[in-house]
Amino acid sequence: MFLKNNFLRLIILYHIAFTYATKSYSISLNKYIGKELLIFADSSNNCSIQDLDIYKFHKSKSQVPNLGVTSYIHWAIFNLNIESIGEYIIHIQSPDFAKINLYLHQENDSFYEIPMYTSEIYPNYLIKSDSQKTYTIYIKITPNGKIQLPIKIYKIDSYHTTTNRRQLFLGILFGSLIALILYNFFLFSSTRSYIYLLYVFYITSLLFTQSALLGVYQTYFQVFPKSFTPYSIHVFSGLSGIFGIFFATQFIQTQKNTPRIHTLSYFIYIGYLTSILMSIVNKPEISHIISAIFGGFSSIYLLISAIIISILGYRPAKFFLIAWTIFLFGLFIYILRDIGILPFNTITTFTIPLGSVLESILLSFALADRINTLKKEKEINQKRIYDEMRRSRDLLNTQKMSLEKMVADRTQSLAVINENLNNTLKNLRETQAQLIDSEKMASLGQLTAGIAHEINNPINFVSSNIQPLKQDIKDILTILYKYNEFAQNHNFPELSQIQKEAELLNLEYSIQEIEQLIQGISEGANRTSTIVNSLKTFSRADRDEVSLADINAGLESTLTILKSQIANINLAVNYGKLPEIICFPGKLNQVFMNVLDNSIDAIHHKFQNYSEGKISIQTYQEEGNIFIEISDNGNGIPVDVQNKIFEPFFTTKEVGHGTGLGLSISYGIIENHKGKILVNSTPGSGTTVVIRIPIST
């Protein structure tokens, strides 16, 4: 009984103490209620709502309690005195919690967890009251780094009005950031300057950071899995710091303008990466502290760098300094609000987002100005390059003209040398050809002269003995005819026998045959003598000596030599009356031989029946010159090689059928006689060679 009474006393005392501690206050609507809160830090992180000891709670002294960076679960209790029937919203204007739970203490000492009314922007919870009464509300806060409790009570109509205004403001805020992202991405696409792409990354990370800080990331910008949400604030803050430093150092060119200070940026990168890593490994309080330290350090680093580079006269740094100063001003207001010097209200809440947007807009202007600056620099560089190119072009033109003159002089010199070499080569070839021909003709002339001499001696014997032989046979026949006459007048048996023998031997036929044989021997000897004389004329041993010669006789002797080759070809000869001229007869005969040989060869290639071939030879005298025309109806000379026929060793004949020296040698021989040799040829119809030799050479 004693124990029971003591237990009841304890219950009564506890209830009185709890009632005193949670004295009901008339809470103003639409205002922060931080000073009405009782707060308890659960260092064990294991207390349930039933285990709470009211005496461990302490009363908040701030309208917006700032519990600092902590890893402890915190509990808050306040009494909500409902004076009029209706619907009320408990609005917690902070998204920076890992988890938050609201419980309603009911009359039967049980606890009812109030569901979240809507997750738009910030956590908020609906209380429906059908009578005037006081509600005891328990709040369990699971931290995600720093804890602040900006709590307001709204009537539902007033809440929606306030929410609509806030959403309109946030729409303008984030719409501006999205517009800046699209604008600068367009500039990057147009200019391909990576500085705009860096700025796009910076604004994008800034947009995600502000959406997480203002509680709209889950509602409007959640592009990552929901499991990422608890880390979003610290990860996005770290990324915006990294991209911000990277963009700023590139924009004001710290590596170029302040190389020593620039090395600190690598230290800042490491700090932000460490903050992100601590958040991912579920150390939000450490992540928050690191992020705050390096955020302040990077702000000072960029401010000092911008001031120094502005003093150096770099124009973009001045724009950056203005933009960064505005952002730092917003950050300064936010810090003063955070530590309680300034009140927690709409202005102090949105100073960082407003500062970020204004900074982004000013930096966009700075980038636009950078375009103009780059354009001017480009124009200056282009003018400088143009001037340098013009000077280089003038120099090149001068050098070109000098080189062209040198090349022209050298080319002319080389052309003269080349012409001399070609003439020398041509002369050497002609000399070689003439030497070869001279040696060949000399050998042929000596051989021919020797043969003619050897043939001429026996022919002379034959020719000189024909007449005595004819006379002797005539004398013998005279005596024989007298014996025959005597036998006819006297009848002697012996004579009759002889007469019979004569008839048997056909003596009359034998006598006629002897006369024919002697006549044939005489004609053969005459013909042989003619051929020998022609050979002697063609290959005169004195051909290297100038002498008077008959051109017609030379042509005739050449035809005699070629008689076997032109036997079946129609030959037409028309010799004009020509005077003898001083010349090299043997060499001219060689020219006639070469030309006629080419005509014969052309006819042999064109006609299978050589009798269809025609060669005409005409000589005449005109204007102090002797002309020799030799024409044929052979296959002619192709047009593309007509200008090469006088070149040494050029030939259109098959291999083994010509040396290519005939016309070249002939051309040289005629030139030595101060004459000309012309060729007029029609492919398929024939060729005419005209040789002109002056009478007086």
Side-chain angles (χ1 to χ4, degrees):
M1 188 69 178
F2 176 78
L3 291 174
K4 183 177 179 180
N5 291 334
N6 286 335
F7 179 74
L8 289 173
R9 290 190 185 96
L10 287 172
I11 292 297
I12 292 170
L13 290 172
Y14 180 81
H15 180 71
I16 293 171
F18 180 80
T19 302
Y20 176 80
T22 59
K23 182 179 179 180
S24 180
Y25 294 92
S26 179
I27 296 177
S28 300
L29 297 178
N30 303 337
K31 293 183 179 180
Y32 295 111
I33 63 169
K35 290 184 178 181
E36 279 73 43
L37 296 179
L38 297 176
I39 299 172
F40 163 65
D42 179 13
S43 59
S44 66
N45 287 339
N46 289 321
C47 287
S48 66
I49 193 170
Q50 289 81 8
D51 298 331
L52 293 175
D53 186 350
I54 193 63
Y55 294 105
K56 292 183 179 180
F57 283 75
H58 67 275
K59 189 172 180 60
S60 171
K61 297 180 181 180
S62 172
Q63 289 285 53
V64 180
N66 187 346
L67 306 180
V69 178
T70 179
S71 60
Y72 300 150
I73 293 174
H74 282 66
W75 290 85
I77 303 174
F78 69 94
N79 286 335
L80 176 60
N81 186 21
I82 301 297
E83 296 178 350
S84 61
I85 298 171
E87 295 180 336
Y88 294 86
I89 295 293
I90 301 173
H91 178 69
I92 303 174
Q93 193 177 333
S94 175
D96 195 11
F97 305 116
K99 187 178 181 182
I100 188 166
N101 305 91
L102 264 71
Y103 300 94
L104 176 64
H105 185 238
Q106 298 181 336
E107 293 178 355
N108 58 359
D109 286 336
S110 63
F111 294 92
Y112 166 70
E113 184 174 354
I114 304 172
M116 189 176 292
Y117 174 61
T118 174
S119 60
E120 291 184 4
I121 304 180
Y122 300 118
N124 45 78
Y125 302 86
L126 177 65
I127 300 292
K128 293 183 179 181
S129 177
D130 53 2
S131 62
Q132 294 181 354
K133 59 188 301 186
T134 299
Y135 295 93
T136 302
I137 308 297
Y138 286 72
I139 304 174
K140 182 182 179 181
I141 305 109
T142 304
N144 186 30
K146 184 181 71 171
I147 296 179
Q148 278 186 305
L149 291 175
I151 302 174
K152 284 185 179 182
I153 309 298
Y154 292 96
K155 274 195 170 184
I156 192 164
D157 293 338
S158 177
Y159 167 75
H160 285 306
T161 300
T162 302
T163 301
N164 290 337
R165 289 174 182 171
R166 186 181 292 115
Q167 286 180 335
L168 176 62
F169 174 78
L170 293 176
I172 295 172
L173 179 73
F174 290 108
S176 300
L177 290 175
I178 292 172
L180 288 173
I181 291 171
L182 295 176
Y183 171 69
N184 285 279
F185 186 78
F186 171 76
L187 290 178
F188 166 71
S189 302
S190 302
T191 63
R192 292 297 174 184
S193 176
Y194 76 95
I195 193 70
Y196 296 103
L197 185 61
L198 288 178
Y199 191 54
V200 167
F201 287 150
Y202 170 57
I203 301 177
T204 303
S205 63
L206 195 63
L207 181 145
F208 280 108
T209 301
Q210 295 301 325
S211 68
L213 288 172
L214 295 173
V216 296
Y217 167 71
Q218 281 183 284
T219 306
Y220 301 113
F221 299 105
Q222 185 163 4
V223 294
F224 300 103
K226 287 187 177 181
S227 58
F228 175 75
T229 303
Y231 316 110
S232 60
I233 291 179
H234 301 101
V235 172
F236 289 146
S237 296
L239 289 176
S240 65
I242 291 172
F243 285 124
I245 292 294
F246 194 26
F247 163 74
T249 54
Q250 297 298 316
F251 181 70
I252 62 177
Q253 298 185 3
T254 56
Q255 188 172 15
K256 176 183 177 182
N257 296 314
T258 55
R260 292 184 178 179
I261 299 178
H262 175 77
T263 56
L264 296 176
S265 63
Y266 304 117
F267 177 68
I268 297 173
Y269 293 143
I270 295 173
Y272 279 123
L273 288 173
T274 305
S275 172
I276 294 172
L277 181 62
M278 289 296 101
S279 175
I280 293 173
V281 299
N282 206 22
K283 297 291 182 181
E285 66 281 2
I286 299 176
S287 175
H288 184 84
I289 293 171
I290 294 174
S291 180
I293 292 172
F294 282 93
F297 181 74
S298 61
S299 299
I300 297 171
Y301 160 74
L302 289 178
L303 183 64
I304 294 173
S305 298
I307 292 172
I308 294 173
I309 296 173
S310 297
I311 294 172
L312 293 175
Y314 187 58
R315 182 180 174 86
K318 297 178 181 179
F319 283 94
F320 179 82
L321 182 60
I322 296 171
W324 193 247
T325 301
I326 292 174
F327 174 76
L328 289 181
F329 177 76
L331 180 62
F332 181 69
I333 297 297
Y334 179 82
I335 292 172
L336 291 178
R337 185 212 71 174
D338 225 20
I339 62 178
I341 297 177
L342 293 177
F344 196 104
N345 54 37
T346 302
I347 295 175
T348 57
T349 298
F350 290 102
T351 52
I352 284 188
L354 283 172
S356 298
V357 171
L358 290 174
E359 176 212 12
S360 300
I361 293 172
L362 288 174
L363 287 177
S364 294
F365 289 153
L367 286 171
D369 181 74
R370 186 173 183 269
I371 293 176
N372 294 329
T373 302
L374 291 175
K375 185 178 179 181
K376 291 179 180 178
E377 290 177 354
K378 183 179 179 181
E379 290 176 353
I380 293 172
N381 289 332
Q382 284 180 341
K383 186 177 183 304
R384 178 177 55 80
I385 292 171
Y386 175 76
D387 292 338
E388 290 179 356
M389 289 180 64
R390 183 170 53 80
R391 287 193 296 269
S392 299
R393 184 181 60 194
D394 294 340
L395 179 61
L396 285 174
N397 287 335
T398 303
Q399 292 179 346
K400 180 183 175 183
M401 293 174 63
S402 176
L403 287 173
E404 285 179 349
K405 186 176 182 304
M406 292 174 63
V407 170
D409 294 342
R410 185 61 177 166
T411 302
Q412 184 177 3
S413 175
L414 289 174
V416 172
I417 294 172
N418 188 48
E419 184 178 1
N420 293 336
L421 288 174
N422 286 332
N423 292 334
T424 303
L425 180 61
K426 181 180 178 182
N427 293 334
L428 286 173
R429 286 180 175 177
E430 291 179 354
T431 303
Q432 181 185 22
Q434 291 175 1
L435 286 173
I436 293 171
D437 181 66
S438 297
E439 291 298 325
K440 288 171 64 178
M441 292 305 295
S443 300
L444 180 61
Q446 291 177 0
L447 178 62
T448 304
I451 293 172
H453 178 73
E454 293 299 327
I455 294 174
N456 192 51
N457 288 333
I459 288 301
N460 286 336
F461 286 125
V462 173
S463 299
S464 60
N465 289 328
I466 285 175
Q467 285 302 117
L469 179 60
K470 282 183 177 182
Q471 187 62 41
D472 290 342
I473 291 174
K474 183 178 180 182
D475 292 342
I476 292 171
L477 288 176
T478 300
I479 294 173
L480 185 60
Y481 286 145
K482 286 183 177 183
Y483 273 113
N484 187 31
E485 183 180 353
F486 180 78
Q488 289 178 357
N489 295 329
H490 298 82
N491 188 14
F492 293 105
E494 292 84 359
L495 292 174
S496 298
Q497 186 66 32
I498 293 171
Q499 191 172 7
K500 288 180 181 180
E501 288 292 335
E503 291 175 358
L504 183 62
L505 294 174
N506 199 358
L507 183 60
E508 290 295 330
Y509 176 78
S510 297
I511 292 171
Q512 292 177 2
E513 187 177 22
I514 289 171
E515 290 178 355
Q516 292 176 357
L517 290 173
I518 292 172
Q519 184 63 32
I521 291 170
S522 177
E523 290 179 0
N526 290 333
R527 289 183 62 186
T528 303
S529 179
T530 301
I531 292 171
V532 169
N533 289 331
S534 297
L535 285 172
K536 290 171 69 177
T537 302
F538 183 80
S539 58
R540 314 165 66 104
D542 57 353
R543 64 189 179 91
D544 289 332
E545 298 177 0
V546 176
S547 63
L548 283 172
D550 184 354
I551 298 299
N552 291 337
L555 283 167
E556 193 63 31
S557 66
T558 303
L559 290 173
T560 301
I561 300 299
L562 296 173
K563 187 173 184 179
S564 62
Q565 298 182 45
I566 60 176
N568 297 322
I569 298 174
N570 294 318
L571 179 64
V573 178
N574 183 14
Y575 294 140
K577 187 176 181 181
L578 304 177
E580 290 186 345
I581 62 172
I582 299 174
C583 62
F584 295 94
K587 290 185 177 181
L588 289 179
N589 290 343
Q590 183 183 352
V591 173
F592 304 150
M593 173 73 79
N594 290 335
V595 175
L596 287 169
D597 185 64
N598 286 338
S599 295
I600 294 168
D601 187 69
I603 290 171
H604 286 177
H605 276 81
K606 183 177 180 180
F607 301 107
Q608 292 183 352
N609 184 6
Y610 298 158
S611 62
E612 297 179 19
K614 295 180 181 179
I615 295 177
S616 62
I617 302 173
Q618 181 181 4
T619 61
Y620 56 92
Q621 176 183 346
E622 188 176 283
E623 297 180 355
N625 294 289
I626 291 176
F627 290 89
I628 304 99
E629 291 185 6
I630 301 175
S631 302
D632 65 73
N633 64 342
N635 52 13
I637 304 171
V639 176
D640 57 334
V641 299
Q642 287 184 11
N643 60 341
K644 300 179 181 180
I645 58 176
F646 294 116
E647 294 180 4
F649 305 104
F650 176 81
T651 181
T652 57
K653 298 179 182 179
E654 298 177 1
V655 178
H657 291 274
T659 61
L661 295 173
L663 288 179
S664 175
I665 293 171
S666 299
Y667 188 85
I669 292 172
I670 298 301
E671 276 199 335
N672 289 338
H673 285 79
K674 299 181 181 179
K676 288 287 183 181
I677 179 168
L678 304 173
V679 176
N680 182 15
S681 181
T682 303
S685 298
T687 303
T688 298
V689 178
V690 179
I691 301 170
R692 177 181 63 81
I693 302 173
I695 295 174
S696 177
T697 57

